[in-house]
């Protein structure tokens, strides 16, 4: 078992260990005390893990209730947000009670925002069940829902009280969902740790690899919790990736779009061809795409609506070597050149 301590505005542990799932009751009791627990989960995860979590919590004396949303990004909406708050109120949850997010990024983001808002803030614990949620979204306190105008447009920075990550639950993930998480693991290695990148060549995502990704994310979050600077390196590949996701009408998944985004930005911005090839080879090793059929003009058009854009410029994460990444504010024209070059080099 590995414990990664996060010293953000709230101090909490991320506990990573094979087989810790059935001990979540004990771990939660230590972190938040015995209280009423509202488990929020989705229709994919509920039949697999909700009962086990309930049993583990009840064994330690928690009074458990559950709310299940439809699986999928469309559920991260204002309607479910209000329904969950009403459900908590109808069940008389108080400020000393706790919300559990049992699921992937959608469940984690929605639950976190509900916890941040209900009674102006109640305790919440993340139990990530996708690789992407383990290494990225469950750590760092970004919570959100989508609005009609776009993804994650309403939310709060609200750190969890505990994160419990049991990699054995990833065994039930569909291959394609697992691959999405691999893209974030590769991203983390590119931006933060050359040795981790080397280790990934073994094509085995172990608990140690997950823990190392969480440490790297923790370090970035502790430096810039509110995402005004350094934290934006975590968006490596995301400016182009988000554009590709949108162009495909979300048929290309987030992880795969980010993989293409990373390949495009690396192909253009990395001066050493060895590093460029290493990144492309790594993405291919994990069966992730490195190219797409969209034209650079189409991709660029969508990046113009990117949230990270200023009036005439945009801040993008650029890898300098494997294991290092800088933030650069560039003109939209320079971004256009990067995309043109990256797409034509595909
Ligand atoms: N997923 C990017 C971040 O947490 O900032």
């Amino acid at each position: 078992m590995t414990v990664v301590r996060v010293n953000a505005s709230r101090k909490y542990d991320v506990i990573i260990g094979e087989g810790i799932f059935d001990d979540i009751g004990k771990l939660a009791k230590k972190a938040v005390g015995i209280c009423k627990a509202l488990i929020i989960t989705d229709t994919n995860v509920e039949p697999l893990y909700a009962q086990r979590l309930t049993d583990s919590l009840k064994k330690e004396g928690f009074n458990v209730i559950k709310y299940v949303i439809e699986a999928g990004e469309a559920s991260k909406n204002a309607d479910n947000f209000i329904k969950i708050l009403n459900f908590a109120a109808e069940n008389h949850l108080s400020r000393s009670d706790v919300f559990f997010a049992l699921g992937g990024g959608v469940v984690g983001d929605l639950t976190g925002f509900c916890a941040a808002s209900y009674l102006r803030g109640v305790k919440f614990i993340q139990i990530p069940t996708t690789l992407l949620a383990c290494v990225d979204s469950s750590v760092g306190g970004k919570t959100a829902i989508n609005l009609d105008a776009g993804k994650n447009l309403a939310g709060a920075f609200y750190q969890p009280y505990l994160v419990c990550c049991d990699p054995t639950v990833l065994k039930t993930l569909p291959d394609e969902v697992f691959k999405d998480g691999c893209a974030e693991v590769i991203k983390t290695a590119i931006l933060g740790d050359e040795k981790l990148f080397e280790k990934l060549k073994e094509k085995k995502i172990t608990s140690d690899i997950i823990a190392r990704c969480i440490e790297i994310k923790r370090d970035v979050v502790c430096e810039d919790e509110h995402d005004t600077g350094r934290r934006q390196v975590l968006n490596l590949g995301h400016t182009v990736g988000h554009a590709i996701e949108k162009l495909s009408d979300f048929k290309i998944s987030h992880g795969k779009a980010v993989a293409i985004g990373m390949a495009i930005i690396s192909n253009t911005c990395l001066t050493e061809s060895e590093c460029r090839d290493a990144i492309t080879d790594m993405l291919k090793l994990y069966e992730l795409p490195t190219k797409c059929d969209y034209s650079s003009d189409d991709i660029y058009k969508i990046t113009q609506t990117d949230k990270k854009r200023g009036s005439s410029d945009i801040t993008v994460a650029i890898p300098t070597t494997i294991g290092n990444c800088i933030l650069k504010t560039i003109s939209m024209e320079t971004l256009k050149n990067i995309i043109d070059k990256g797409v034509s080099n595909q």
Side-chain angles (χ1 to χ4, degrees):
M1 188 168 92
T2 308
V3 180
V4 176
R5 181 82 174 154
V6 182
N7 282 315
S9 53
R10 186 173 358 266
K11 297 178 188 3
Y12 59 96
D13 288 335
V14 183
I15 301 176
I16 306 113
E18 307 242 349
I20 64 164
F21 195 91
D22 295 315
D23 294 328
I24 290 173
K26 274 193 205 126
L27 298 168
K29 183 166 135 188
K30 212 166 146 204
V32 298
I34 298 168
C35 53
K36 197 178 262 186
L38 167 57
I39 299 173
I40 299 164
T41 188
D42 71 22
T43 46
N44 285 342
V45 178
E46 196 272 341
L48 296 169
Y49 299 115
Q51 194 55 51
R52 268 176 75 189
L53 178 58
T54 304
D55 291 347
S56 172
L57 292 172
K58 279 192 171 164
K59 205 167 143 204
E60 297 304 318
F62 285 87
N63 177 357
V64 185
I65 53 172
K66 180 179 71 181
Y67 191 95
V68 185
I69 59 166
E70 198 59 45
E73 185 70 31
S75 285
K76 211 171 103 175
N77 59 30
D79 191 32
N80 278 332
F81 171 72
I82 297 293
K83 280 184 179 156
I84 292 168
L85 298 186
N86 277 321
F87 183 78
E90 283 154 15
N91 284 280
H92 310 291
L93 266 86
S94 75
R95 246 200 211 145
S96 48
D97 293 325
V98 59
F99 288 13
F100 281 82
L102 174 66
V106 167
V107 167
D109 285 8
L110 174 64
T111 304
F113 191 37
C114 289
S117 311
Y118 184 66
L119 304 178
R120 299 195 183 92
V122 292
K123 293 173 266 192
F124 103 102
I125 293 179
Q126 291 264 21
I127 319 287
T129 60
T130 64
L131 180 57
L132 192 148
C134 289
V135 297
D136 189 30
S137 58
S138 68
V139 178
K142 274 192 182 174
T143 75
I145 55 170
N146 303 328
L147 301 181
D148 293 343
K151 276 175 80 166
N152 297 331
L153 291 186
F157 289 98
Y158 193 70
Q159 301 292 339
Y161 282 65
L162 175 71
V163 183
C164 298
C165 170
D166 180 348
T168 62
V169 304
L170 305 180
K171 288 187 183 133
T172 49
L173 275 185
D175 278 354
E176 294 308 305
V177 180
F178 188 76
K179 278 186 207 166
D180 278 340
C182 293
E184 296 289 342
V185 171
I186 295 168
K187 176 201 82 176
T188 308
I190 296 171
L191 70 88
D193 188 347
E194 189 183 4
K195 273 198 199 138
L196 173 63
F197 189 86
E198 283 304 308
K199 186 109 190 81
L200 290 180
K201 291 184 179 162
E202 292 166 20
K203 205 186 172 189
K204 196 161 182 271
I205 303 291
T206 60
S207 298
D208 287 347
I209 285 176
I210 291 172
R212 181 65 192 127
C213 289
I214 292 169
E215 279 175 352
I216 293 167
K217 173 144 191 193
R218 181 268 318 269
D219 292 346
V220 173
V221 166
C222 288
E223 196 182 322
D224 173 30
E225 182 173 346
H226 293 106
D227 205 14
T228 53
R230 183 70 189 157
R231 187 164 178 167
Q232 291 167 35
V233 293
L234 299 173
N235 292 332
L236 174 63
H238 282 57
T239 298
V240 172
H242 281 154
I244 291 168
E245 237 183 314
K246 263 195 194 165
L247 280 170
S248 77
D249 209 10
F250 297 92
K251 285 188 189 78
I252 299 182
S253 66
H254 178 75
K256 294 188 186 69
V258 167
I260 301 167
M262 286 194 287
I264 288 178
I265 205 99
S266 309
N267 280 341
T268 319
C269 300
L270 266 169
T271 41
E272 283 177 44
S273 66
E274 255 177 50
C275 294
R276 291 198 296 267
D277 294 345
I279 289 175
T280 313
D281 290 348
M282 184 65 80
L283 294 168
K284 286 182 182 161
L285 179 67
Y286 282 83
E287 296 161 49
L288 288 160
T290 55
K291 43 177 105 164
C292 65
D293 292 334
Y294 300 111
S295 72
S296 61
D297 282 348
D298 285 344
I299 295 173
Y300 174 68
K301 234 180 260 163
I302 306 274
T303 61
Q304 287 179 302
T305 61
D306 194 288
K307 276 190 295 205
K308 297 176 286 302
R309 199 200 143 160
S311 55
S312 59
D313 52 28
I314 188 163
T315 301
V316 286
I318 295 182
T320 48
T321 54
I322 305 281
N324 285 293
C325 184
I326 54 162
L327 283 176
K328 220 171 170 180
T329 301
I330 55 175
S331 67
M332 289 308 285
E333 198 188 328
T334 308
L335 178 66
K336 171 85 173 83
N337 292 336
I338 289 175
I339 297 170
D340 280 346
K341 206 166 150 203
V343 169
S344 61
N345 284 347
Q346 276 182 2

